[in-house]
Amino acid sequence: MAGRAPGSDPAQDAPRITEPSHHAVGVHAVTTAMRLAQRQMGVLRSARTLLRVNQPDGFDCPGCAWPEEDRVHRAEFCENGAKAVAEEATRRRVTPAFFAAHAVADLLGRSGYWLGQQGRLTHPMLLDEGATHYVPVSWERAYEIIGEEFAALDSPDEAVFYTSGRTPNEPAFALQLLARRLGTNNLPDCANMCHEATGDALVETLGVGKGSVSLEDIHHADLVIVAGQNPGTNHPRMMAALEQTKGNGGRVISVNPLPEAGLERFKNPQRPRGVVGEGTKLTDLFLQIRTGGDLALFRALNQLLLRAEDEAPGTVLDRSFIAEHTLGFEDWEQDARATDRDDVLAATGLPMEQIEAAARMVLESKSVIVCWALGLTQHKHSVPTLREIVNFLLLRGNVGRPGAGVCPVRGHSNVQGDRTMGIYERPTEAFHRALGEEFGFTSPRHHGYDSVGAIKAMRDGKVKVFVGMGGNFAAAAPDTPVTEEALRRCSLTVQISTKPNRSHLVTGRRALILPTLGRSDEDRTQAGPQFVTVEDSMGRVHASRGRLKPEPMLRSETSIVCAMARAALGPDDDVPWEEFAADYDRLRGRIERVVPGFEDFNARVRRPGGFVLPHAPRDARSFPTHTGKANFTVNDMVVLDVPEGRLLLQTLRSHDQYNTTIYGLDDRYRGVHDGRRVVLVSPADITALGVTEGSFVDLVSEWPDGRERRAAHFKVVPYPTARGCAAAYMPEATVLVPLDHTSDISNTPAYKSVVIRFEPDSGPDAVVVI
Ligand SMILES: Nc1nc2c(c(=O)[nH]1)N[C@H]1C(S)=C(S)[C@@H](COP(=O)(O)OP(=O)(O)OC[C@H]3O[C@@H](n4cnc5c(=O)[nH]c(N)nc54)[C@H](O)[C@@H]3O)O[C@H]1N2
Ligand SMILES: Nc1nc2c(c(=O)[nH]1)N[C@H]1C(S)=C(S)[C@@H](COP(=O)(O)OP(=O)(O)OC[C@H]3O[C@@H](n4cnc5c(=O)[nH]c(N)nc54)[C@H](O)[C@@H]3O)O[C@H]1N2
Ligand SMILES: [Mo]
């Protein structure tokens, strides 16, 4: 829908630009957070709520998945965590009166920012066939409708259950059980669009698709390489960990097309040194790489390590580790030695001296950790890139010993846990077997749809019911108009949500909004107060208890999933869904018999700090891969071809957003204020392309299907990014990402790698609101 609705947020079209910042998270950050929190929650509620974040008896921060430093003793506070909490614990309410006042067609003209700012949902709402407005509906009727629509399906594979990674373990486990009892593995999740490449690369090479390090390891590493990540905004507590690394004498290399403030310098608000003074310099060497150049970089580093070993045999490679624990070294070595220097220079855009400097730092470090996030996972060649990083670590035995290992930094606070619980379209046979034995049925073995697959299936009329367990699928998925059209082809769309978003407006023939408790809300059932559990990015499972009094009509995610299950599976289904909904201990008692590592779940999760899941490579240098060893892999060089006059666009987050949730219109560290329609480009490219700095342009993406995609009206901002690269915010720029443009193997949308050109500005009226 084109055009800006009156009063939506015209400020979005008038960004103001100042100098980017060179440090992150000082006192300024904390005062900003408190101001934002108080606007949403009031002074008292802010103080009371923020004090409970990440405390042993409090709730898990719904911000990121970075683990807490010593949960038992310390309060950790970060600006963006506070913003996430404030957004959820807001006093603003979206009641049935709101929906009576606004037709869905009108709301479609409002931005996601405006929608989110309206507040928390209070009542279940129904958009009936042909209706213009949502109307309140009872929970009973809502479940009846769900039951009707499931009963009308020709096959269980016509249903899709999407999970966003905020969902705690208990409802996630219940949801996958519901899907599989029904007979489908259609369990796409946000991880499909996020760290899927990580899982695929690590399972193949190390046998476990998760990180192998603890916070202790980060603190004591000699070298931490942070590639494709912006922790200052997205994982602020990670900077406190890197500060400790530095304090212990370790060093940091950051690899990024953008000089991100949070990696340059960190002012810790919890230390006097952070309040006054310069803070800690975090990055020792900044490699300003071209987007998509990381595979070439790690190939080059590996080649340099091999050469160093030639010069001083027996001093560089960990030969005994390689012999004892790995396979495929010889084939890999032959290929690695043939790495072409010109390819490396073209792909990375880095001077060779910088890569050599990085290699020297590696050689000087006994223990090395590589951290990464979306800058490495959202490319066509993400899986090979990550496999090459594993090669890099295996060479010197940097896996499964203190201060060393792989550290994928996950996004949503429980995205890793949801996977552990079986939210996965292609689970292992071992998982199926354990689930089937526990619940006395045979779960379907054929693979389900992932996120991109689900869009295609809906588009092609193969899916009729879409259930969104949190998240905002319409705005998070690629190729916005294609995704929206796909959702509109469903007969029923159900969104289990805390706040209004785009996915409530792009609906099937009928649509339900089921309002649910957030992390900060108290969860009480007839069996008494309940808590939920989550798993952080380093495999620690712990409890989360909200304390705020919720609106009376809200139900917990667990309760909603169990009631949906009863409605979809009927009264004869012998899973005790009602007991699960009443008492989460009952559910956890079943989880412990299905999912490895959860033995004695109910007791262990009640201990302060919870427990850490087993991880064979980390714990025992044992590698449960298909070969039984850690695998070296050959990963062909990739030099991205960006034609003349084009740029490689990445879509990323501003400082004031949480994925599709927009908190505000500033990206303070990058010097962008009061607006989001900006494209960051290097001054040299601005000159070369003949555009005027500060002018507005359309972004047009090109793709072999011949269909061009256009995002209108972006301000050209000169920015110190790598040559040939550009950056713009999601979800405004998501329309440019073709549905078929995904990573090989993991099928993750290549959100960080879209070839674009500039065209003359079509003006603010051509902006498609999202
Ligand atoms: N406040 C806040 N916290 C969040 C989120 C949020 O939106 N807001 N989102 C959460 C979620 S779900 C996730 S997955 C994480 C996301 O965390 P990040 O991965 O940090 O998120 P992005 O903003 O996408 O930033 C990607 C970074 O990778 C860099 N990059 C892009 N392409 C390349 C490349 O080819 N090579 C290299 N080396 N770098 C590249 C970008 O310049 C940028 O610094 O954060 C989580 N935490
Ligand atoms: N262009 C582009 N697109 C991207 C990305 C990118 O880098 N570029 N990144 C991708 C990534 S990494 C991810 S993870 C996805 C994110 O995709 P999603 O997880 O689907 O999206 P979010 O924006 O995090 O979801 C926000 C909504 O979640 C609901 N919500 C919040 N808290 C709760 C809760 O406790 N329970 C329930 N039930 N609902 C809740 C609210 O209604 C809110 O509107 O986006 C992907 N999309
Ligand atoms: Mo994510």
Side-chain angles (χ1 to χ4, degrees):
M1 144 136 209
R4 197 186 335 119
S8 53
D9 35 20
Q12 280 209 36
D13 300 335
R16 195 165 49 75
I17 310 301
T18 59
E19 276 294 300
S21 166
H22 297 287
H23 70 264
V25 190
V27 164
H28 184 54
V30 175
T31 45
T32 311
M34 280 315 279
R35 210 173 43 237
L36 263 163
Q38 289 173 6
R39 214 155 62 205
Q40 298 269 0
M41 299 194 274
V43 177
L44 258 180
R45 192 172 163 97
S46 298
R48 266 206 307 262
T49 311
L50 293 177
L51 283 174
R52 292 217 178 268
V53 182
N54 291 346
Q55 289 303 291
D57 63 340
F59 62 94
D60 183 61
C61 179
C64 67
W66 187 259
E68 283 84 49
E69 297 273 349
D70 192 355
R71 269 184 78 79
V72 189
H73 301 297
R74 263 202 31 215
E76 274 203 301
F77 186 87
C78 92
E79 175 195 354
N80 275 350
K83 286 196 263 186
V85 171
E87 187 79 12
E88 176 177 299
T90 180
R91 287 185 180 283
R92 300 177 192 163
R93 294 292 177 262
V94 174
T95 63
F98 171 88
F99 288 103
H102 299 278
V104 170
D106 296 341
L107 293 174
L108 275 167
R110 305 284 187 164
S111 68
Y113 174 48
W114 187 90
L115 289 171
Q117 290 302 306
Q118 303 312 302
R120 285 285 295 272
L121 296 157
T122 59
H123 286 70
M125 303 297 297
L126 167 69
L127 183 67
D128 218 338
E129 187 172 1
T132 55
H133 291 69
Y134 272 98
V135 294
V137 63
S138 69
W139 282 102
E140 292 62 35
R141 178 65 194 137
Y143 295 134
E144 246 174 54
I145 292 171
I146 291 170
E148 286 163 18
E149 295 282 355
F150 275 108
L153 298 181
D154 290 330
S155 141
D157 289 324
E158 290 181 346
V160 155
F161 301 87
Y162 170 72
T163 307
S164 156
R166 263 203 202 181
T167 297
N169 291 332
E170 292 75 8
F173 184 83
L175 186 70
Q176 63 81 31
L177 181 60
L178 152 59
R180 298 198 164 107
R181 298 281 293 181
L182 201 64
T184 183
N185 286 305
N186 287 344
L187 288 155
D189 63 355
C190 72
N192 295 146
M193 302 187 271
C194 184
H195 263 285
E196 195 67 58
T198 297
D200 285 339
L202 295 185
V203 166
E204 180 185 346
T205 55
L206 299 178
V208 179
K210 300 181 181 183
S212 75
V213 302
S214 66
L215 275 179
E216 275 289 288
D217 292 320
I218 299 268
H219 298 162
H220 296 290
D222 293 329
L223 179 66
V224 180
I225 301 180
V226 182
Q229 217 199 318
N230 177 22
T233 287
N234 298 316
H235 304 92
R237 287 175 297 110
M238 179 177 176
M239 292 185 298
L242 292 176
E243 189 187 30
Q244 296 210 35
T245 315
K246 298 299 302 268
N248 293 331
R251 291 188 289 182
V252 174
I253 297 178
S254 61
V255 187
N256 203 307
L258 302 178
E260 302 285 27
L263 282 168
E264 289 183 58
R265 202 169 268 286
F266 171 52
K267 293 192 181 184
N268 190 338
Q270 293 175 336
R271 288 177 208 273
R273 190 151 46 89
V275 180
V276 284
E278 282 292 280
T280 308
K281 180 172 179 286
L282 291 185
T283 293
D284 296 278
L285 176 65
F286 171 43
L287 300 179
Q288 184 159 33
I289 197 163
R290 279 193 55 195
T291 311
D294 304 82
L295 171 54
L297 170 66
F298 279 94
R299 280 195 62 123
L301 288 173
N302 288 339
Q303 188 185 38
L304 291 170
L305 295 182
L306 290 173
R307 286 198 191 138
E309 172 77 5
D310 294 343
E311 280 164 25
T315 63
V316 174
L317 306 189
D318 187 340
R319 295 275 182 192
S320 65
F321 174 81
I322 293 172
E324 192 182 338
H325 294 290
T326 75
L327 282 179
F329 174 76
E330 286 76 19
D331 287 347
W332 170 81
E333 181 187 18
Q334 208 183 349
D335 179 71
R337 285 186 182 278
T339 299
D340 182 75
R341 183 190 163 98
D342 291 338
D343 285 349
V344 170
L345 298 180
T348 61
L350 295 168
M352 206 55 194
E353 300 72 56
Q354 279 193 10
I355 301 179
E356 285 161 359
R360 273 195 303 277
M361 287 170 72
V362 175
L363 289 168
E364 287 157 10
S365 307
K366 269 189 63 187
S367 55
V368 179
I369 291 174
V370 183
C371 302
W372 69 85
L374 304 184
L376 298 199
T377 63
Q378 295 179 331
H379 290 281
K380 186 161 188 318
H381 55 295
S382 285
V383 175
T385 302
L386 299 172
R387 286 191 307 223
E388 195 61 25
I389 289 178
V390 172
N391 292 337
F392 166 77
L393 291 168
L394 291 178
L395 279 180
R396 285 167 59 79
N398 273 311
V399 177
R401 62 178 168 79
V406 286
C407 182
V409 183
R410 302 278 169 165
H412 265 300
S413 47
N414 196 41
V415 62
Q416 186 160 314
D418 291 342
R419 251 323 145 76
T420 308
M421 290 298 114
I423 300 289
Y424 193 23
E425 72 282 358
R426 44 191 168 115
T428 60
E429 180 56 27
F431 183 88
H432 276 302
R433 223 177 297 122
L435 189 71
E437 268 167 34
E438 178 61 26
F439 292 96
F441 76 119
T442 306
S443 61
R445 297 306 206 261
H446 59 287
H447 289 176
Y449 300 126
D450 62 7
S451 288
V452 167
I455 297 166
K456 291 183 178 170
M458 289 188 281
R459 178 195 65 191
D460 300 341
K462 293 188 198 146
V463 162
K464 300 279 163 37
V465 175
F466 178 96
V467 177
M469 181 69 235
N472 181 7
F473 192 75
D479 224 344
T480 317
V482 176
T483 294
E484 294 198 348
E485 204 38 51
L487 285 163
R488 289 187 200 284
R489 289 206 65 188
C490 291
S491 48
L492 176 70
T493 45
V494 182
Q495 302 292 346
I496 299 156
S497 315
T498 52
K499 303 194 78 176
N501 65 43
R502 183 89 187 164
S503 301
H504 303 140
L505 311 175
V506 181
T507 68
R509 194 162 36 78
R510 288 199 280 186
L512 287 165
I513 302 175
L514 305 181
T516 190
L517 301 177
R519 289 275 169 81
S520 52
D521 294 318
E522 185 183 59
D523 187 353
R524 219 172 239 289
T525 66
Q526 62 268 39
Q530 302 295 319
F531 66 88
V532 291
T533 62
V534 293
E535 175 185 341
D536 68 31
S537 204
M538 293 180 180
R540 179 177 287 280
V541 179
H542 57 82
S544 173
R545 284 181 191 81
R547 298 293 164 118
L548 297 176
K549 273 266 167 290
E551 288 290 325
M553 287 290 277
L554 301 192
R555 301 234 171 131
S556 74
E557 292 172 310
T558 310
S559 145
I560 294 172
V561 173
C562 291
M564 281 198 313
R566 182 57 76 206
L569 299 166
D572 297 336
D573 188 74
D574 57 17
V575 172
W577 296 106
E578 292 73 16
E579 287 176 22
F580 287 170
D583 182 355
Y584 305 170
D585 275 357
R586 305 290 289 265
L587 198 42
R588 283 188 285 266
R590 310 297 281 266
I591 292 172
E592 80 173 43
R593 292 210 288 269
V594 175
V595 188
F598 283 81
E599 298 74 24
D600 209 10
F601 189 7
N602 275 311
R604 285 197 298 155
V605 83
R606 283 178 162 83
R607 293 181 201 148
F611 60 94
V612 179
L613 290 173
H615 186 291
R618 180 196 64 207
D619 304 336
R621 283 202 154 178
S622 125
F623 299 92
T625 63
H626 60 288
T627 63
K629 299 269 185 186
N631 293 309
F632 277 92
T633 53
V634 172
N635 304 295
D636 295 340
M637 175 67 92
V638 174
V639 185
L640 292 177
D641 176 34
V642 182
E644 241 341 88
R646 309 294 191 266
L647 297 171
L648 198 58
L649 176 83
Q650 61 152 320
T651 58
L652 79 182
R653 291 144 178 81
S654 82
H655 191 61
D656 273 2
Q657 77 183 85
Y658 196 93
N659 302 337
T660 72
T661 298
I662 312 299
Y663 304 134
L665 298 175
D666 296 341
D667 193 1
R668 200 174 69 242
Y669 297 149
R670 298 198 185 106
V672 178
H673 311 271
D674 303 329
R676 296 179 44 83
R677 300 193 78 85
V678 291
V679 57
L680 311 182
V681 192
S682 85
D685 283 320
I686 292 182
T687 310
L689 293 171
V691 290
T692 312
E693 145 179 359
S695 67
F696 282 82
V697 294
D698 285 2
L699 311 183
V700 178
S701 71
E702 302 172 347
W703 186 244
D705 69 2
R707 204 164 74 71
E708 291 189 340
R709 288 145 177 96
R710 178 179 299 263
H713 196 59
F714 280 72
K715 185 171 188 158
V716 178
V717 175
Y719 201 83
T721 176
R723 273 303 298 269
C725 306
Y729 302 131
M730 66 168 285
E732 289 82 352
T734 302
V735 59
L736 297 166
V737 187
L739 187 61
D740 284 322
H741 186 32
T742 61
S743 13
D744 299 335
I745 301 167
S746 66
N747 209 24
T748 314
Y751 291 120
K752 297 285 189 275
S753 182
V754 183
V755 174
I756 59 156
R757 63 173 194 270
F758 291 159
E759 287 218 339
D761 179 26
S762 316
D765 290 338
V767 167
V768 178
V769 173
I770 176 102

